[in-house]
Amino acid sequence: MEISKNNTVISTKPQFDADHDEVSWEEEFQELEQTLHKSKDWHGLDLYFYQGFWYPSLVFKGVISSQKHFEALDSDIIVTSVPKCGTTWLKALTFSIVNRNKFTKQENPLLRSLPHRLVPFIEYNLSLNNPSPDLENSCLYKPRMFSTHIPYASLPPSIKESEAKIVYICRNPMDMFISLWFFTDKLRAKNVEPLPLDEAFEMFCKGIHAFGPYFDHVLGFWKASQENPSKILFLQYEDLKEDIVSQMKKLAMFLGFPFSEEEEKQGVVEEIAKTCSFGSLKELDVNKNGVSLLGFPNSTFFRKAEVGDWRNYLTPAMVERVKKLMQENLDNSGLTFKLC
């Protein structure tokens, strides 16, 4: 696969458009599944252990398909994260910053669309049911923006090899765990018993959760961002909550869409921050009553968005265990978390 200077993809791969190719792909995928270790996730569905991480059975096929067929452009923007670390918020911010001059505040597509529709997931929305999705028409606005929970080491090769920009967001592990526990419970089938907090916590500490282990996921992007800071911007949820304006300026500069002095004087940064805030997004009709592409309510993506909510649920022993895991995994990495 080659990418020209004008961002045109020149693919050296055979086109995936024949029944024979589809049958071969299905057989290849089924053979791969049979070789992998499996476990159960927090709401009873299968997880597959692949390339060092646990992938939900719901999207595993999309992960493999994207690795084989996703073709990035130099101008693409890829929003990445572990689940429940501020993905929805970062999508809204990224989309609004890049496209701020294409529509008025009243015409912002965020007012009528879930951020996940405007910045689609590669493994969920695009590659799950179509090995060769129409990427060019999958995004209404240019530059194209996609998102993924796939760990850095397993990203589609074209994302890493091209000049596409990667923005990663993470969150302190205790808040992430609590948010994920509530989220997965909402996705639980009615005939599946809820997983007690202590059991979910044990699985989390062992790295058994969607796209886990958590620390391996975070460190993969952290180390890559240290090696190539012009390609990967590493953000932390707590920093955005603490000083959204400066973090937005950093994001805009990294993406190549910096705010001008005039825009800053006019309060454009603060206006976008308000539009993309948790309170604003949660109260939109589309996010209160709409349904996601995966079939569950859009409201599932909006719970509290608080820093330090873990204090309401974790025991002192649990907190100490997470702190020990942080020390073991992050020692000498240069990465720290604010445990507010």
Short mmCIF file of all heavy atoms in Angstrom, two decimals, residues 38-48 54-57 82-84 172-214 303 314 318 322 325:
data_model
loop_
_atom_site.label_atom_id
_atom_site.label_comp_id
_atom_site.label_asym_id
_atom_site.label_seq_id
_atom_site.Cartn_x
_atom_site.Cartn_y
_atom_site.Cartn_z
N LYS A 38 -9.93 -17.95 25.14
CA LYS A 38 -11.17 -17.19 25.32
C LYS A 38 -11.46 -17.02 26.81
O LYS A 38 -11.03 -17.80 27.66
CB LYS A 38 -12.36 -17.92 24.66
CG LYS A 38 -12.33 -17.92 23.15
CD LYS A 38 -13.70 -18.21 22.56
CE LYS A 38 -14.27 -19.51 23.03
NZ LYS A 38 -15.59 -19.81 22.37
N SER A 39 -12.20 -15.97 27.10
CA SER A 39 -12.70 -15.74 28.45
C SER A 39 -14.06 -15.07 28.30
O SER A 39 -14.53 -14.85 27.18
CB SER A 39 -11.74 -14.84 29.24
OG SER A 39 -12.19 -14.69 30.58
N LYS A 40 -14.70 -14.77 29.41
CA LYS A 40 -15.97 -14.06 29.38
C LYS A 40 -15.75 -12.62 29.84
O LYS A 40 -14.97 -12.35 30.75
CB LYS A 40 -16.99 -14.73 30.31
CG LYS A 40 -17.44 -16.11 29.84
CD LYS A 40 -18.24 -16.03 28.54
CE LYS A 40 -18.73 -17.42 28.13
NZ LYS A 40 -19.49 -17.36 26.84
N ASP A 41 -16.44 -11.69 29.18
CA ASP A 41 -16.34 -10.31 29.63
C ASP A 41 -17.31 -10.07 30.78
O ASP A 41 -17.93 -11.00 31.30
CB ASP A 41 -16.57 -9.33 28.48
CG ASP A 41 -17.99 -9.35 27.95
OD1 ASP A 41 -18.87 -9.96 28.58
OD2 ASP A 41 -18.24 -8.75 26.89
N TRP A 42 -17.48 -8.82 31.16
CA TRP A 42 -18.23 -8.51 32.37
C TRP A 42 -19.73 -8.63 32.20
O TRP A 42 -20.47 -8.55 33.19
CB TRP A 42 -17.89 -7.11 32.85
CG TRP A 42 -16.43 -6.93 33.16
CD1 TRP A 42 -15.44 -7.86 33.05
CD2 TRP A 42 -15.81 -5.74 33.63
NE1 TRP A 42 -14.23 -7.33 33.42
CE2 TRP A 42 -14.43 -6.02 33.78
CE3 TRP A 42 -16.27 -4.46 33.94
CZ2 TRP A 42 -13.51 -5.07 34.22
CZ3 TRP A 42 -15.36 -3.51 34.38
CH2 TRP A 42 -14.00 -3.81 34.53
N HIS A 43 -20.21 -8.80 30.97
CA HIS A 43 -21.64 -9.03 30.81
C HIS A 43 -21.93 -10.32 30.04
O HIS A 43 -22.94 -10.45 29.39
CB HIS A 43 -22.35 -7.82 30.18
CG HIS A 43 -21.80 -7.38 28.86
ND1 HIS A 43 -20.52 -6.92 28.69
CD2 HIS A 43 -22.37 -7.29 27.64
CE1 HIS A 43 -20.32 -6.57 27.44
NE2 HIS A 43 -21.42 -6.80 26.77
N GLY A 44 -21.00 -11.27 30.15
CA GLY A 44 -21.27 -12.63 29.72
C GLY A 44 -20.90 -13.01 28.30
O GLY A 44 -21.08 -14.16 27.91
N LEU A 45 -20.37 -12.08 27.51
CA LEU A 45 -19.99 -12.39 26.13
C LEU A 45 -18.52 -12.80 26.06
O LEU A 45 -17.74 -12.53 26.96
CB LEU A 45 -20.26 -11.19 25.23
CG LEU A 45 -21.71 -10.71 25.15
CD1 LEU A 45 -21.83 -9.52 24.22
CD2 LEU A 45 -22.63 -11.84 24.71
N ASP A 46 -18.17 -13.45 24.95
CA ASP A 46 -16.81 -13.95 24.79
C ASP A 46 -15.80 -12.83 24.57
O ASP A 46 -16.09 -11.81 23.93
CB ASP A 46 -16.72 -14.91 23.60
CG ASP A 46 -17.36 -16.26 23.91
OD1 ASP A 46 -17.43 -16.63 25.10
OD2 ASP A 46 -17.78 -16.94 22.95
N LEU A 47 -14.60 -13.05 25.10
CA LEU A 47 -13.44 -12.22 24.81
C LEU A 47 -12.39 -13.12 24.16
O LEU A 47 -12.22 -14.27 24.56
CB LEU A 47 -12.84 -11.62 26.08
CG LEU A 47 -13.62 -10.54 26.83
CD1 LEU A 47 -12.93 -10.25 28.16
CD2 LEU A 47 -13.71 -9.27 26.00
N TYR A 48 -11.69 -12.61 23.14
CA TYR A 48 -10.62 -13.36 22.49
C TYR A 48 -9.28 -12.71 22.82
O TYR A 48 -9.14 -11.48 22.73
CB TYR A 48 -10.81 -13.37 20.97
CG TYR A 48 -11.99 -14.20 20.50
CD1 TYR A 48 -13.19 -13.59 20.15
CD2 TYR A 48 -11.89 -15.59 20.41
CE1 TYR A 48 -14.28 -14.35 19.72
CE2 TYR A 48 -12.96 -16.35 19.98
CZ TYR A 48 -14.15 -15.73 19.63
OH TYR A 48 -15.22 -16.48 19.22
N TRP A 54 -7.29 -8.49 25.12
CA TRP A 54 -8.60 -9.13 25.09
C TRP A 54 -9.57 -8.32 24.24
O TRP A 54 -9.80 -7.14 24.51
CB TRP A 54 -9.16 -9.26 26.50
CG TRP A 54 -8.42 -10.24 27.34
CD1 TRP A 54 -7.49 -9.96 28.30
CD2 TRP A 54 -8.54 -11.67 27.31
NE1 TRP A 54 -7.03 -11.12 28.87
CE2 TRP A 54 -7.65 -12.19 28.28
CE3 TRP A 54 -9.31 -12.56 26.56
CZ2 TRP A 54 -7.52 -13.55 28.52
CZ3 TRP A 54 -9.17 -13.91 26.79
CH2 TRP A 54 -8.30 -14.41 27.76
N TYR A 55 -10.12 -8.95 23.22
CA TYR A 55 -11.04 -8.28 22.30
C TYR A 55 -12.46 -8.85 22.43
O TYR A 55 -12.64 -10.07 22.44
CB TYR A 55 -10.58 -8.46 20.85
CG TYR A 55 -9.31 -7.72 20.53
CD1 TYR A 55 -8.06 -8.35 20.67
CD2 TYR A 55 -9.33 -6.40 20.11
CE1 TYR A 55 -6.89 -7.68 20.39
CE2 TYR A 55 -8.16 -5.71 19.81
CZ TYR A 55 -6.94 -6.35 19.96
OH TYR A 55 -5.79 -5.68 19.69
N PRO A 56 -13.47 -7.98 22.52
CA PRO A 56 -14.85 -8.46 22.58
C PRO A 56 -15.22 -9.22 21.30
O PRO A 56 -14.87 -8.79 20.19
CB PRO A 56 -15.67 -7.17 22.70
CG PRO A 56 -14.70 -6.12 23.15
CD PRO A 56 -13.39 -6.51 22.57
N SER A 57 -15.91 -10.33 21.46
CA SER A 57 -16.32 -11.11 20.29
C SER A 57 -17.17 -10.28 19.34
O SER A 57 -17.15 -10.50 18.12
CB SER A 57 -17.09 -12.36 20.74
OG SER A 57 -18.23 -11.99 21.53
N VAL A 82 -8.63 3.66 25.51
CA VAL A 82 -9.24 2.51 26.16
C VAL A 82 -10.70 2.91 26.39
O VAL A 82 -10.98 4.09 26.62
CB VAL A 82 -8.57 2.21 27.52
CG1 VAL A 82 -9.15 0.94 28.12
CG2 VAL A 82 -7.08 2.08 27.37
N PRO A 83 -11.64 1.98 26.32
CA PRO A 83 -13.04 2.36 26.59
C PRO A 83 -13.21 3.06 27.93
O PRO A 83 -12.53 2.75 28.91
CB PRO A 83 -13.77 0.99 26.58
CG PRO A 83 -12.94 0.14 25.69
CD PRO A 83 -11.52 0.55 25.95
N LYS A 84 -14.12 4.02 27.95
CA LYS A 84 -14.53 4.75 29.14
C LYS A 84 -13.44 5.66 29.72
O LYS A 84 -13.26 5.78 30.93
CB LYS A 84 -15.05 3.81 30.23
CG LYS A 84 -16.10 2.80 29.75
CD LYS A 84 -17.17 3.44 28.87
CE LYS A 84 -17.97 4.52 29.58
NZ LYS A 84 -18.88 5.24 28.62
N ASN A 172 -7.40 8.06 34.80
CA ASN A 172 -6.84 7.29 35.91
C ASN A 172 -7.60 5.97 36.03
O ASN A 172 -8.81 5.91 35.82
CB ASN A 172 -6.84 8.10 37.23
CG ASN A 172 -8.09 7.94 38.05
OD1 ASN A 172 -8.39 6.86 38.55
ND2 ASN A 172 -8.83 9.03 38.22
N PRO A 173 -6.87 4.88 36.29
CA PRO A 173 -7.46 3.54 36.19
C PRO A 173 -8.65 3.28 37.10
O PRO A 173 -9.53 2.47 36.76
CB PRO A 173 -6.28 2.61 36.54
CG PRO A 173 -5.31 3.47 37.26
CD PRO A 173 -5.45 4.83 36.68
N MET A 174 -8.72 3.94 38.23
CA MET A 174 -9.83 3.68 39.15
C MET A 174 -11.14 4.27 38.63
O MET A 174 -12.19 3.63 38.69
CB MET A 174 -9.47 4.19 40.54
CG MET A 174 -8.36 3.37 41.18
SD MET A 174 -8.04 3.71 42.93
CE MET A 174 -6.97 5.13 42.81
N ASP A 175 -11.09 5.49 38.11
CA ASP A 175 -12.29 6.08 37.51
C ASP A 175 -12.69 5.33 36.24
O ASP A 175 -13.87 5.13 35.96
CB ASP A 175 -12.07 7.56 37.18
CG ASP A 175 -12.34 8.46 38.36
OD1 ASP A 175 -13.12 8.07 39.26
OD2 ASP A 175 -11.78 9.57 38.41
N MET A 176 -11.68 4.92 35.46
CA MET A 176 -11.97 4.16 34.25
C MET A 176 -12.68 2.86 34.59
O MET A 176 -13.67 2.47 33.95
CB MET A 176 -10.66 3.87 33.50
CG MET A 176 -10.81 2.98 32.28
SD MET A 176 -10.64 1.21 32.72
CE MET A 176 -10.93 0.44 31.14
N PHE A 177 -12.20 2.17 35.62
CA PHE A 177 -12.81 0.90 36.03
C PHE A 177 -14.27 1.09 36.43
O PHE A 177 -15.15 0.33 35.99
CB PHE A 177 -12.02 0.27 37.18
CG PHE A 177 -12.79 -0.80 37.90
CD1 PHE A 177 -13.06 -2.01 37.28
CD2 PHE A 177 -13.28 -0.59 39.18
CE1 PHE A 177 -13.81 -3.00 37.93
CE2 PHE A 177 -14.01 -1.55 39.84
CZ PHE A 177 -14.28 -2.77 39.21
N ILE A 178 -14.55 2.06 37.26
CA ILE A 178 -15.93 2.29 37.71
C ILE A 178 -16.83 2.64 36.53
O ILE A 178 -17.95 2.12 36.41
CB ILE A 178 -15.97 3.41 38.78
CG1 ILE A 178 -15.29 2.95 40.07
CG2 ILE A 178 -17.42 3.83 39.05
CD1 ILE A 178 -15.94 1.73 40.72
N SER A 179 -16.35 3.48 35.64
CA SER A 179 -17.14 3.87 34.48
C SER A 179 -17.43 2.67 33.58
O SER A 179 -18.55 2.48 33.10
CB SER A 179 -16.41 4.95 33.68
OG SER A 179 -17.19 5.38 32.59
N LEU A 180 -16.41 1.81 33.40
CA LEU A 180 -16.59 0.62 32.57
C LEU A 180 -17.56 -0.36 33.21
O LEU A 180 -18.37 -1.00 32.52
CB LEU A 180 -15.23 -0.06 32.33
CG LEU A 180 -15.25 -1.27 31.40
CD1 LEU A 180 -15.71 -0.88 29.99
CD2 LEU A 180 -13.86 -1.92 31.34
N TRP A 181 -17.50 -0.48 34.53
CA TRP A 181 -18.40 -1.40 35.23
C TRP A 181 -19.86 -0.97 35.04
O TRP A 181 -20.73 -1.80 34.74
CB TRP A 181 -18.03 -1.43 36.72
CG TRP A 181 -18.86 -2.37 37.54
CD1 TRP A 181 -18.98 -3.72 37.37
CD2 TRP A 181 -19.69 -2.03 38.66
NE1 TRP A 181 -19.83 -4.25 38.33
CE2 TRP A 181 -20.28 -3.22 39.13
CE3 TRP A 181 -19.98 -0.83 39.31
CZ2 TRP A 181 -21.14 -3.25 40.22
CZ3 TRP A 181 -20.83 -0.86 40.40
CH2 TRP A 181 -21.41 -2.05 40.84
N PHE A 182 -20.14 0.30 35.20
CA PHE A 182 -21.50 0.78 34.99
C PHE A 182 -21.92 0.64 33.52
O PHE A 182 -23.06 0.26 33.22
CB PHE A 182 -21.62 2.25 35.41
CG PHE A 182 -21.87 2.44 36.88
CD1 PHE A 182 -20.85 2.82 37.73
CD2 PHE A 182 -23.14 2.23 37.41
CE1 PHE A 182 -21.07 2.99 39.09
CE2 PHE A 182 -23.39 2.40 38.77
CZ PHE A 182 -22.35 2.78 39.62
N PHE A 183 -21.02 0.93 32.62
CA PHE A 183 -21.32 0.87 31.19
C PHE A 183 -21.66 -0.56 30.76
O PHE A 183 -22.67 -0.79 30.08
CB PHE A 183 -20.13 1.39 30.39
CG PHE A 183 -20.35 1.41 28.90
CD1 PHE A 183 -21.14 2.38 28.30
CD2 PHE A 183 -19.74 0.46 28.08
CE1 PHE A 183 -21.33 2.40 26.93
CE2 PHE A 183 -19.92 0.47 26.71
CZ PHE A 183 -20.72 1.45 26.13
N THR A 184 -20.83 -1.51 31.15
CA THR A 184 -21.08 -2.89 30.74
C THR A 184 -22.35 -3.44 31.37
O THR A 184 -23.04 -4.28 30.77
CB THR A 184 -19.89 -3.81 31.10
OG1 THR A 184 -19.58 -3.66 32.49
CG2 THR A 184 -18.67 -3.45 30.28
N ASP A 185 -22.68 -2.97 32.57
CA ASP A 185 -23.92 -3.42 33.19
C ASP A 185 -25.14 -2.97 32.38
O ASP A 185 -26.13 -3.70 32.29
CB ASP A 185 -24.02 -2.89 34.62
CG ASP A 185 -25.21 -3.47 35.37
OD1 ASP A 185 -25.25 -4.70 35.57
OD2 ASP A 185 -26.12 -2.69 35.74
N LYS A 186 -25.05 -1.79 31.77
CA LYS A 186 -26.15 -1.30 30.94
C LYS A 186 -26.31 -2.13 29.66
O LYS A 186 -27.40 -2.20 29.08
CB LYS A 186 -25.93 0.17 30.57
CG LYS A 186 -26.04 1.12 31.75
CD LYS A 186 -25.76 2.55 31.32
CE LYS A 186 -25.83 3.51 32.50
NZ LYS A 186 -25.50 4.91 32.10
N LEU A 187 -25.23 -2.76 29.23
CA LEU A 187 -25.27 -3.57 28.01
C LEU A 187 -25.65 -5.02 28.28
O LEU A 187 -25.83 -5.80 27.35
CB LEU A 187 -23.89 -3.54 27.33
CG LEU A 187 -23.31 -2.17 26.97
CD1 LEU A 187 -22.01 -2.35 26.21
CD2 LEU A 187 -24.30 -1.35 26.16
N ARG A 188 -25.78 -5.35 29.55
CA ARG A 188 -26.05 -6.73 29.95
C ARG A 188 -27.43 -7.19 29.50
O ARG A 188 -28.41 -6.48 29.63
CB ARG A 188 -25.92 -6.84 31.47
CG ARG A 188 -26.28 -8.16 32.08
CD ARG A 188 -25.99 -8.15 33.58
NE ARG A 188 -26.55 -6.98 34.26
CZ ARG A 188 -27.81 -6.91 34.70
NH1 ARG A 188 -28.64 -7.94 34.53
NH2 ARG A 188 -28.25 -5.83 35.31
N ALA A 189 -27.48 -8.40 28.93
CA ALA A 189 -28.76 -8.98 28.55
C ALA A 189 -29.60 -9.26 29.79
O ALA A 189 -29.05 -9.52 30.87
CB ALA A 189 -28.54 -10.27 27.76
N LYS A 190 -30.91 -9.22 29.66
CA LYS A 190 -31.80 -9.39 30.81
C LYS A 190 -31.65 -10.76 31.47
O LYS A 190 -31.92 -10.90 32.66
CB LYS A 190 -33.25 -9.17 30.37
CG LYS A 190 -33.55 -7.73 29.96
CD LYS A 190 -35.01 -7.56 29.59
CE LYS A 190 -35.31 -6.12 29.22
NZ LYS A 190 -36.74 -5.91 28.83
N ASN A 191 -31.22 -11.75 30.69
CA ASN A 191 -31.09 -13.09 31.26
C ASN A 191 -29.70 -13.35 31.85
O ASN A 191 -29.38 -14.47 32.26
CB ASN A 191 -31.38 -14.14 30.19
CG ASN A 191 -30.40 -14.08 29.03
OD1 ASN A 191 -29.72 -13.08 28.84
ND2 ASN A 191 -30.36 -15.15 28.25
N VAL A 192 -28.88 -12.31 31.90
CA VAL A 192 -27.53 -12.43 32.48
C VAL A 192 -27.49 -11.71 33.82
O VAL A 192 -27.90 -10.56 33.92
CB VAL A 192 -26.47 -11.84 31.53
CG1 VAL A 192 -25.09 -11.88 32.19
CG2 VAL A 192 -26.46 -12.58 30.21
N GLU A 193 -27.01 -12.39 34.84
CA GLU A 193 -26.92 -11.79 36.16
C GLU A 193 -25.86 -10.69 36.18
O GLU A 193 -24.82 -10.82 35.54
CB GLU A 193 -26.56 -12.86 37.20
CG GLU A 193 -27.67 -13.85 37.48
CD GLU A 193 -28.87 -13.19 38.14
OE1 GLU A 193 -28.68 -12.35 39.04
OE2 GLU A 193 -30.01 -13.50 37.74
N PRO A 194 -26.09 -9.61 36.92
CA PRO A 194 -25.08 -8.55 37.01
C PRO A 194 -23.82 -9.05 37.68
O PRO A 194 -23.88 -9.88 38.60
CB PRO A 194 -25.78 -7.47 37.84
CG PRO A 194 -26.84 -8.20 38.61
CD PRO A 194 -27.31 -9.31 37.72
N LEU A 195 -22.67 -8.57 37.24
CA LEU A 195 -21.40 -8.99 37.82
C LEU A 195 -21.09 -8.10 39.02
O LEU A 195 -21.01 -6.88 38.90
CB LEU A 195 -20.28 -8.86 36.77
CG LEU A 195 -18.91 -9.38 37.19
CD1 LEU A 195 -18.96 -10.90 37.35
CD2 LEU A 195 -17.85 -8.98 36.18
N PRO A 196 -20.92 -8.70 40.19
CA PRO A 196 -20.60 -7.90 41.38
C PRO A 196 -19.33 -7.07 41.18
O PRO A 196 -18.42 -7.48 40.46
CB PRO A 196 -20.41 -8.95 42.47
CG PRO A 196 -21.20 -10.14 41.99
CD PRO A 196 -21.04 -10.14 40.50
N LEU A 197 -19.27 -5.94 41.85
CA LEU A 197 -18.14 -5.04 41.71
C LEU A 197 -16.82 -5.73 42.03
O LEU A 197 -15.82 -5.56 41.30
CB LEU A 197 -18.33 -3.83 42.62
CG LEU A 197 -17.19 -2.79 42.61
CD1 LEU A 197 -17.14 -2.10 41.26
CD2 LEU A 197 -17.38 -1.77 43.72
N ASP A 198 -16.79 -6.52 43.10
CA ASP A 198 -15.52 -7.14 43.49
C ASP A 198 -15.03 -8.15 42.46
O ASP A 198 -13.82 -8.28 42.25
CB ASP A 198 -15.64 -7.78 44.87
CG ASP A 198 -16.72 -8.84 44.95
OD1 ASP A 198 -17.63 -8.83 44.10
OD2 ASP A 198 -16.67 -9.68 45.87
N GLU A 199 -15.96 -8.83 41.79
CA GLU A 199 -15.56 -9.78 40.75
C GLU A 199 -15.05 -9.06 39.52
O GLU A 199 -14.06 -9.47 38.89
CB GLU A 199 -16.73 -10.70 40.40
CG GLU A 199 -17.13 -11.65 41.52
CD GLU A 199 -18.24 -12.60 41.11
OE1 GLU A 199 -18.35 -12.90 39.89
OE2 GLU A 199 -19.00 -13.04 41.99
N ALA A 200 -15.72 -7.98 39.14
CA ALA A 200 -15.27 -7.18 38.01
C ALA A 200 -13.90 -6.58 38.31
O ALA A 200 -13.02 -6.53 37.44
CB ALA A 200 -16.27 -6.07 37.71
N PHE A 201 -13.70 -6.14 39.53
CA PHE A 201 -12.42 -5.55 39.94
C PHE A 201 -11.29 -6.57 39.81
O PHE A 201 -10.20 -6.26 39.34
CB PHE A 201 -12.51 -5.05 41.38
CG PHE A 201 -11.25 -4.42 41.88
CD1 PHE A 201 -10.91 -3.13 41.51
CD2 PHE A 201 -10.40 -5.13 42.73
CE1 PHE A 201 -9.73 -2.55 41.97
CE2 PHE A 201 -9.23 -4.55 43.19
CZ PHE A 201 -8.89 -3.27 42.81
N GLU A 202 -11.56 -7.80 40.22
CA GLU A 202 -10.55 -8.86 40.12
C GLU A 202 -10.17 -9.09 38.66
O GLU A 202 -8.98 -9.23 38.33
CB GLU A 202 -11.09 -10.15 40.74
CG GLU A 202 -10.09 -11.28 40.80
CD GLU A 202 -8.92 -10.99 41.74
OE1 GLU A 202 -9.09 -10.21 42.69
OE2 GLU A 202 -7.84 -11.57 41.50
N MET A 203 -11.16 -9.11 37.78
CA MET A 203 -10.89 -9.30 36.36
C MET A 203 -10.10 -8.11 35.80
O MET A 203 -9.19 -8.28 34.99
CB MET A 203 -12.21 -9.49 35.61
CG MET A 203 -12.94 -10.77 35.96
SD MET A 203 -14.53 -10.94 35.10
CE MET A 203 -13.96 -11.28 33.42
N PHE A 204 -10.48 -6.91 36.22
CA PHE A 204 -9.77 -5.72 35.75
C PHE A 204 -8.29 -5.79 36.15
O PHE A 204 -7.40 -5.50 35.33
CB PHE A 204 -10.41 -4.46 36.34
CG PHE A 204 -9.66 -3.20 36.04
CD1 PHE A 204 -9.72 -2.61 34.79
CD2 PHE A 204 -8.86 -2.61 37.02
CE1 PHE A 204 -9.01 -1.45 34.50
CE2 PHE A 204 -8.15 -1.44 36.74
CZ PHE A 204 -8.23 -0.86 35.48
N CYS A 205 -8.02 -6.15 37.39
CA CYS A 205 -6.64 -6.23 37.85
C CYS A 205 -5.84 -7.28 37.10
O CYS A 205 -4.62 -7.16 36.95
CB CYS A 205 -6.61 -6.53 39.35
SG CYS A 205 -7.20 -5.15 40.38
N LYS A 206 -6.51 -8.30 36.60
CA LYS A 206 -5.85 -9.34 35.81
C LYS A 206 -5.79 -8.97 34.33
O LYS A 206 -5.24 -9.73 33.52
CB LYS A 206 -6.58 -10.67 35.98
CG LYS A 206 -6.47 -11.26 37.39
CD LYS A 206 -7.24 -12.56 37.49
CE LYS A 206 -7.11 -13.16 38.89
NZ LYS A 206 -7.90 -14.42 39.03
N GLY A 207 -6.36 -7.82 33.99
CA GLY A 207 -6.32 -7.36 32.60
C GLY A 207 -7.42 -7.93 31.73
O GLY A 207 -7.40 -7.74 30.51
N ILE A 208 -8.39 -8.62 32.33
CA ILE A 208 -9.44 -9.28 31.55
C ILE A 208 -10.64 -8.36 31.43
O ILE A 208 -11.54 -8.34 32.28
CB ILE A 208 -9.85 -10.62 32.18
CG1 ILE A 208 -8.62 -11.52 32.35
CG2 ILE A 208 -10.90 -11.33 31.32
CD1 ILE A 208 -8.91 -12.83 33.08
N HIS A 209 -10.64 -7.56 30.40
CA HIS A 209 -11.75 -6.66 30.08
C HIS A 209 -11.56 -6.21 28.63
O HIS A 209 -10.51 -6.45 28.03
CB HIS A 209 -11.78 -5.45 31.03
CG HIS A 209 -10.53 -4.63 31.02
ND1 HIS A 209 -10.32 -3.59 30.15
CD2 HIS A 209 -9.40 -4.70 31.80
CE1 HIS A 209 -9.13 -3.05 30.38
NE2 HIS A 209 -8.56 -3.71 31.37
N ALA A 210 -12.57 -5.59 28.07
CA ALA A 210 -12.52 -5.19 26.66
C ALA A 210 -11.29 -4.33 26.39
O ALA A 210 -11.08 -3.29 27.01
CB ALA A 210 -13.79 -4.42 26.30
N PHE A 211 -10.44 -4.80 25.48
CA PHE A 211 -9.23 -4.12 25.03
C PHE A 211 -8.18 -4.00 26.13
O PHE A 211 -7.29 -3.16 26.05
CB PHE A 211 -9.56 -2.74 24.43
CG PHE A 211 -10.49 -2.82 23.25
CD1 PHE A 211 -11.87 -2.65 23.42
CD2 PHE A 211 -10.01 -3.09 21.98
CE1 PHE A 211 -12.74 -2.73 22.35
CE2 PHE A 211 -10.88 -3.17 20.89
CZ PHE A 211 -12.25 -3.00 21.08
N GLY A 212 -8.31 -4.84 27.18
CA GLY A 212 -7.31 -4.86 28.23
C GLY A 212 -6.18 -5.82 27.91
O GLY A 212 -6.27 -6.57 26.93
N PRO A 213 -5.11 -5.80 28.69
CA PRO A 213 -4.92 -5.11 29.96
C PRO A 213 -4.81 -3.59 29.81
O PRO A 213 -4.19 -3.09 28.89
CB PRO A 213 -3.60 -5.69 30.50
CG PRO A 213 -3.39 -6.97 29.75
CD PRO A 213 -3.99 -6.73 28.41
N TYR A 214 -5.38 -2.90 30.77
CA TYR A 214 -5.42 -1.44 30.74
C TYR A 214 -4.03 -0.82 30.66
O TYR A 214 -3.78 0.05 29.81
CB TYR A 214 -6.16 -0.94 31.99
CG TYR A 214 -6.05 0.55 32.20
CD1 TYR A 214 -6.89 1.42 31.53
CD2 TYR A 214 -5.09 1.10 33.06
CE1 TYR A 214 -6.78 2.80 31.70
CE2 TYR A 214 -4.98 2.46 33.24
CZ TYR A 214 -5.81 3.30 32.56
OH TYR A 214 -5.69 4.65 32.72
N ARG A 303 -22.88 9.28 31.70
CA ARG A 303 -23.22 8.93 33.08
C ARG A 303 -22.92 10.11 34.00
O ARG A 303 -23.79 10.92 34.29
CB ARG A 303 -22.48 7.67 33.53
CG ARG A 303 -23.02 7.08 34.84
CD ARG A 303 -22.26 5.81 35.23
NE ARG A 303 -20.92 6.06 35.70
CZ ARG A 303 -20.60 6.29 36.98
NH1 ARG A 303 -21.54 6.30 37.90
NH2 ARG A 303 -19.35 6.50 37.34
N LEU A 314 -14.86 2.09 45.64
CA LEU A 314 -13.74 1.20 45.93
C LEU A 314 -13.39 1.19 47.42
O LEU A 314 -13.40 2.23 48.08
CB LEU A 314 -12.51 1.63 45.13
CG LEU A 314 -12.65 1.64 43.60
CD1 LEU A 314 -11.32 1.98 42.94
CD2 LEU A 314 -13.17 0.29 43.08
N MET A 318 -8.95 -2.18 47.76
CA MET A 318 -8.96 -2.08 46.30
C MET A 318 -8.07 -0.94 45.82
O MET A 318 -7.31 -1.09 44.86
CB MET A 318 -10.39 -1.86 45.80
CG MET A 318 -11.31 -3.06 45.92
SD MET A 318 -13.01 -2.62 45.41
CE MET A 318 -13.77 -4.25 45.35
N VAL A 322 -4.73 -1.15 43.33
CA VAL A 322 -4.54 -0.41 42.08
C VAL A 322 -3.27 0.43 42.14
O VAL A 322 -2.51 0.50 41.16
CB VAL A 322 -5.76 0.49 41.78
CG1 VAL A 322 -5.48 1.36 40.56
CG2 VAL A 322 -7.00 -0.35 41.54
N LEU A 325 -0.44 -1.77 41.41
CA LEU A 325 -0.38 -2.08 39.99
C LEU A 325 0.19 -0.91 39.20
O LEU A 325 0.96 -1.09 38.25
CB LEU A 325 -1.77 -2.44 39.47
CG LEU A 325 -2.34 -3.79 39.86
CD1 LEU A 325 -3.80 -3.91 39.43
CD2 LEU A 325 -1.52 -4.92 39.22
#
